[in-house]
């Protein structure tokens, strides 16, 4: 049974130039749809707003069409034999209150029931964010105990997950960059980083050299630009970089920043620079859960999330994430009744 008769969805009405504005989005209403054969109707509980959505605004998302994003919802009506009423599911029909889904299509899956694990974990450290961090470390970097690591944008969703997982893997020193003194304090306090710096305080290369005077073995870069250049400079011979994102150029309106000036050091120091696309590593989901669930249940790890309340504030949450107002993963709680543990 549906809990409301109206379904709401956000749409993109125009492409951005530079930093996005609320006026680029519209909120539409329609009757809650009924599931057809093989479909289930889901009422969304939590929505994920992600850095890659900024790129989707430029080329990926269709205008005047409900937007795409990761979400968790509860099945409220089903004609899909793989999903029953009451099931909690992960799917990719976010930015809306209700969605029609089919098990196994576009990543739709019933969420496992882990006692003591908050629902928000499935959109953060157990979701695509955590999976990105896990494969960046274990597959791209082949990270090993005792190695020293630099994480850019370390207070964000992927950055905090990298720090958590690297510590479980036995990292040596972990150094992070962030965008405020408060975030730096959180990195070195609650999140267990050995050193951190505010990238506004000077040239990033100099700040990283001071925080990691003996160099680093590996880096997970979420920024690009000067942060990537700094990582290349700080890496020891045969170091590795997992390049996850390029926040530095998301709002550049087709004019990305200049490439790092020290790219030839990749040759001189026999470095390896490899991009990370989480969609190429969905087979690692089970490994991620095997590693993290016991630590989530014991309380050694908690999901690092910033939650914005109210579906109508989805755009606010998205723009706030782009401005760096979140620590950890930015989520939207839609206001639908949430099961315990959310």
């Amino acid at each position: 049974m549906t809990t409301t008769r109206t379904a709401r969805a956000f749409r993109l009405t125009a492409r951005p130039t530079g930093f996005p504005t609320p006026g680029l989005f519209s909120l539409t209403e329609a009757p809650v749809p009924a599931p057809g054969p093989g479909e289930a109707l889901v009422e969304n509980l939590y929505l994920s707003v992600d850095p890659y959505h900024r790129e989707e605004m430029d080329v990926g998302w269709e205008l005047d069409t409900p937007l795409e994003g990761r979400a968790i919802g509860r099945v409220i009506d089903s004609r899909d034999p793989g999903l029953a009423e009451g099931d909690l599911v992960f799917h990719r029909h976010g930015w809306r209150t209700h969605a029609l889904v089919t098990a196994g299509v576009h990543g739709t899956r019933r969420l496992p029931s882990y006692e003591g694990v908050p629902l928000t974990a499935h959109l953060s450290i157990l979701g695509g964010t955590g999976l990105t961090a896990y494969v960046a470390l274990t597959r791209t970097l082949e990270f090993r105990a005792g190695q020293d690591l630099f994480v850019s944008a370390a207070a964000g969703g992927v950055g905090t997950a990298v720090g958590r997982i690297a510590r479980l893997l036995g990292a040596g020193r972990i150094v992070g960059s962030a965008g405020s003194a408060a975030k730096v304090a959180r990195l070195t306090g609650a999140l267990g980083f050995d050193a951190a710096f505010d990238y506004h305080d000077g040239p990033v290369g100099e700040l990283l050299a001071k925080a990691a005077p003996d160099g680093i073995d590996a880096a997970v870069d979420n920024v690009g630009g000067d942060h990537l250049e700094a990582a290349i400079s700080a890496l020891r011979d045969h170091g590795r970089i997992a390049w996850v994102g390029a926040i530095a150029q998301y709002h550049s309106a087709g004019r990305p920043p200049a490439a790092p000036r020290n790219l030839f050091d990749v040759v001189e120091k026999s470095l390896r620079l490899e991009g990370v696309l989480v969609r190429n590593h969905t087979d690692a989901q089970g490994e991620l859960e095997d590693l993290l669930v016991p630590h989530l249940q014991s309380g050694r790890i908690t999901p690092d999330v910033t939650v914005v309340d109210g579906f109508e504030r989805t755009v606010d949450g998205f723009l706030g994430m782009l401005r760096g107002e979140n620590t950890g993963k930015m989520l939207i709680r839609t206001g639908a009744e949430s099961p315990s543990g959310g």
Side-chain angles (χ1 to χ4, degrees), residues 23-89:
L24 297 171
F25 298 87
S26 67
L27 179 58
T28 62
E29 294 187 350
V32 172
E39 293 181 326
L41 174 64
V42 170
E43 185 172 33
N44 285 330
L45 302 173
Y46 287 95
L47 311 175
S48 175
V49 288
D50 296 284
Y52 81 88
H53 289 167
R54 174 61 187 83
E55 296 177 284
E56 293 295 296
M57 294 182 74
D58 289 331
V59 294
W61 285 339
E62 294 183 18
L63 297 180
D64 300 311
T65 301
L67 303 180
E68 176 272 343
R70 301 181 183 109
I72 288 175
R74 183 196 296 106
V75 175
I76 55 177
D77 193 3
S78 182
R79 297 181 66 187
D80 179 348
L83 295 172
E85 187 173 328
D87 283 348
L88 292 172
V89 297

Side-chain angles (χ1 to χ4, degrees), residues 23-328:
L24 297 171
F25 298 87
S26 67
L27 179 58
T28 62
E29 294 187 350
V32 172
E39 293 181 326
L41 174 64
V42 170
E43 185 172 33
N44 285 330
L45 302 173
Y46 287 95
L47 311 175
S48 175
V49 288
D50 296 284
Y52 81 88
H53 289 167
R54 174 61 187 83
E55 296 177 284
E56 293 295 296
M57 294 182 74
D58 289 331
V59 294
W61 285 339
E62 294 183 18
L63 297 180
D64 300 311
T65 301
L67 303 180
E68 176 272 343
R70 301 181 183 109
I72 288 175
R74 183 196 296 106
V75 175
I76 55 177
D77 193 3
S78 182
R79 297 181 66 187
D80 179 348
L83 295 172
E85 187 173 328
D87 283 348
L88 292 172
V89 297
F90 169 92
H91 63 90
R92 303 193 68 90
H93 298 284
W95 291 78
R96 66 197 82 181
T97 57
H98 297 77
L100 293 173
V101 304
T102 298
V105 176
H106 302 307
T108 298
R109 58 186 173 88
R110 181 193 296 114
L111 290 178
S113 178
Y114 294 126
E115 184 177 355
V117 175
L119 191 59
T120 53
H122 294 284
L123 280 179
S124 54
I125 199 162
L126 290 182
T129 300
L131 188 60
T132 298
Y134 178 78
V135 299
L137 287 166
T138 62
R139 295 188 174 184
T140 307
L141 297 180
E142 299 175 345
F143 194 75
R144 297 185 296 278
Q147 293 184 329
D148 299 327
L149 177 70
F150 169 57
V151 187
S152 64
V158 172
T160 54
V162 168
R164 299 279 196 186
I165 295 171
R167 189 58 75 202
L168 292 178
L169 296 176
R173 295 189 79 244
I174 306 177
V175 177
S177 70
S180 71
K183 289 184 177 182
V184 166
R186 179 163 173 77
L187 288 175
T188 56
L191 295 174
F193 280 65
D194 296 283
F197 59 86
D198 182 345
Y199 63 81
H200 296 105
D201 288 345
V204 176
E206 295 179 11
L207 295 169
L208 178 56
K210 182 178 179 180
D214 297 323
I216 55 174
D217 298 295
V220 177
D221 182 34
N222 297 290
V223 179
D226 56 354
H227 281 71
L228 179 57
E229 182 175 301
I232 291 171
S233 179
L235 279 166
R236 301 167 185 143
D237 287 356
H238 304 286
R240 292 98 60 220
I241 302 172
W243 197 6
V244 172
I247 295 171
Q249 70 181 58
Y250 282 169
H251 314 300
S252 57
R255 297 183 299 276
R261 295 164 295 180
N262 58 349
L263 272 179
F264 194 71
D265 284 354
V266 173
V267 178
E268 287 289 322
K269 296 198 285 186
S270 297
L271 307 180
R272 179 157 58 85
L273 168 62
E274 184 177 340
V276 181
L277 280 177
V278 69
R279 65 171 178 259
N280 296 330
H281 300 279
T282 55
D283 62 305
Q285 182 67 38
E287 297 175 25
L288 175 73
E289 294 180 14
D290 288 345
L291 173 67
L292 293 181
V293 167
H295 298 296
L296 285 161
Q297 291 174 322
S298 72
R300 179 179 179 181
I301 289 179
T302 57
D304 298 297
V305 297
T306 299
V307 178
V308 173
D309 277 311
F311 174 77
E312 67 282 355
R313 297 187 62 205
T314 300
V315 172
D316 295 337
F318 171 58
L319 298 181
M321 178 273 301
L322 293 179
R323 287 190 292 263
E325 295 173 2
N326 56 302
T327 297

